[in-house]
Amino acid sequence: MIEIRNVSKTYGNKSVVENVSLNIEKGKITSFIGPNGAGKSTLIKSILELIPSVSGTVEIYGKTYKEKRKIVGYVPQRESVDWDFPTNALDVVTMGRYGHLGWFKRPGMKDKRIAMECLEKVGMEEYAQRQISQLSGGQQQRVFLARALAQDAQLYFMDEPFVGVDAATEKAIITLLNDLKKQGKTVLVVHHDLNTVQEYFDWLILLNVHLIAAGPTKDLFTKDHLQKTYGGKLTMLDSETSPILINSR
Ligand code: ADP
């Protein structure tokens, strides 16, 4: 579905993503795993053409991102968003419909109805008229997921969707990701909690500036691969078959 070839990005003279080539499979929930500063967000932003001066190529179904952007949904890191912007939850979700509208068209009743349905799917219908600055972190994250759902994309990128959310929201998010997968959609998630990786994800992309490995979780979630990815930043309680992770920061 996505072919990434020789993607590199430098800031000043520092390489943050170096010569990464990989294919991303359709219909799976895939996670980008690696220590802080490994280039996970940068790689996603490179795929989505959100940062300049990236070398290499990315093709989505053989086309550029610009040609395929309507089928791609993006949920950025919650901290990267200006939550003081004066707008309510329903309007944020309705914005997800803009890709479906023609030039100069404003969202109509149908778009509002779809946006409302998406808020219901994430359990946020009661908060439709609430200003986004007055939502909790978990509620804001749900609104963002609803916005991505409203877009009705084929492919979703989510940057750390579980950060700062309570257990109920985490459960709601993972249920939603599994629903998307059942509908044949492809989901890519930047994630840092190694304790939930095996439960949540089918496929892993292990990254530390370079690509360490990409493949099924059952093959890659091993002590050896994790040590190659995290180096000294990882503490494990020894167990050959199933590493028990203490600290991935
Ligand atoms: P991750 O998502 O794996 O934590 P990032 O992709 O956010 O890593 O960052 C990779 C590296 O690039 C980090 O060292 C970070 O400080 C650096 N970096 C990210 N964005 C910028 C930027 N706009 N200017 C300079 N350095 C940046």
Side-chain angles (χ1 to χ4, degrees):
M1 180 171 214
I2 309 183
E3 259 190 42
I4 298 168
R5 291 288 167 266
N6 306 110
V7 165
S8 299
K9 171 71 190 168
T10 53
Y11 282 111
N13 52 14
K14 187 178 167 202
S15 256
V16 293
V17 172
E18 204 168 311
N19 218 20
V20 169
S21 295
L22 65 108
N23 294 341
I24 290 170
E25 305 257 334
K26 184 176 183 293
K28 292 195 162 62
I29 308 183
T30 296
S31 179
F32 291 87
I33 300 286
N36 282 339
K40 304 180 294 294
S41 290
T42 304
L43 183 58
I44 285 198
K45 288 178 190 158
S46 303
I47 297 170
L48 302 177
E49 298 183 13
L50 291 169
I51 44 176
S53 313
V54 173
S55 63
T57 58
V58 176
E59 289 189 346
I60 301 173
Y61 284 127
K63 299 272 169 58
T64 62
Y65 167 73
K66 282 208 172 66
E67 290 169 292
K68 284 285 174 193
R69 59 185 297 169
K70 278 191 190 166
I71 67 159
V72 183
Y74 174 49
V75 180
Q77 280 187 19
R78 195 162 52 83
E79 293 129 54
S80 68
V81 173
D82 176 9
W83 292 102
D84 289 328
F85 193 82
T87 184
N88 67 30
L90 183 61
D91 286 341
V92 168
V93 179
T94 307
M95 275 179 229
R97 300 293 304 161
Y98 275 81
H100 293 265
L101 304 174
W103 285 99
F104 304 116
K105 289 237 180 84
R106 291 163 60 85
M109 287 301 285
K110 182 178 164 222
D111 299 297
K112 289 266 176 196
R113 183 175 50 74
I114 291 171
M116 203 58 206
E117 283 166 14
C118 293
L119 275 173
E120 277 166 32
K121 279 189 195 148
V122 298
M124 285 292 292
E125 65 276 24
E126 284 166 45
Y127 297 88
Q129 304 302 331
R130 176 87 58 101
Q131 289 291 304
I132 55 168
S133 59
Q134 285 162 21
L135 297 171
S136 73
Q139 290 169 339
Q140 290 173 340
Q141 195 61 278
R142 287 174 188 239
V143 168
F144 252 48
L145 286 162
R147 188 181 76 146
L149 290 180
Q151 194 184 337
D152 195 21
Q154 296 296 317
L155 176 63
Y156 288 97
F157 287 89
M158 302 185 182
D159 202 343
E160 305 240 26
F162 300 107
V163 165
V165 304
D166 59 15
T169 301
E170 176 146 348
K171 209 154 173 250
I173 295 173
I174 197 65
T175 304
L176 194 100
L177 301 192
N178 283 315
D179 285 349
L180 291 172
K181 180 179 145 178
K182 277 187 210 138
Q183 294 164 32
K185 314 233 169 177
T186 306
V187 186
L188 291 122
V189 182
V190 175
H191 189 61
H192 74 259
D193 180 7
L194 291 176
N195 295 301
T196 48
V197 165
Q198 284 169 297
E199 187 189 341
Y200 290 176
F201 304 109
D202 304 322
W203 205 263
L204 299 182
I205 294 166
L206 302 178
L207 195 71
N208 193 347
V209 185
H210 297 271
L211 178 72
I212 309 290
T217 305
K218 62 178 170 33
D219 296 342
L220 296 194
F221 201 77
T222 63
K223 189 175 167 184
D224 187 38
H225 277 109
L226 293 173
Q227 228 139 26
K228 270 192 203 136
T229 310
Y230 286 87
K233 290 182 187 160
L234 188 71
T235 315
M236 291 191 225
L237 285 183
D238 214 326
S239 157
E240 282 305 323
T241 48
S242 175
I244 303 164
L245 302 151
I246 304 301
N247 180 13
S248 60
R249 287 279 173 183

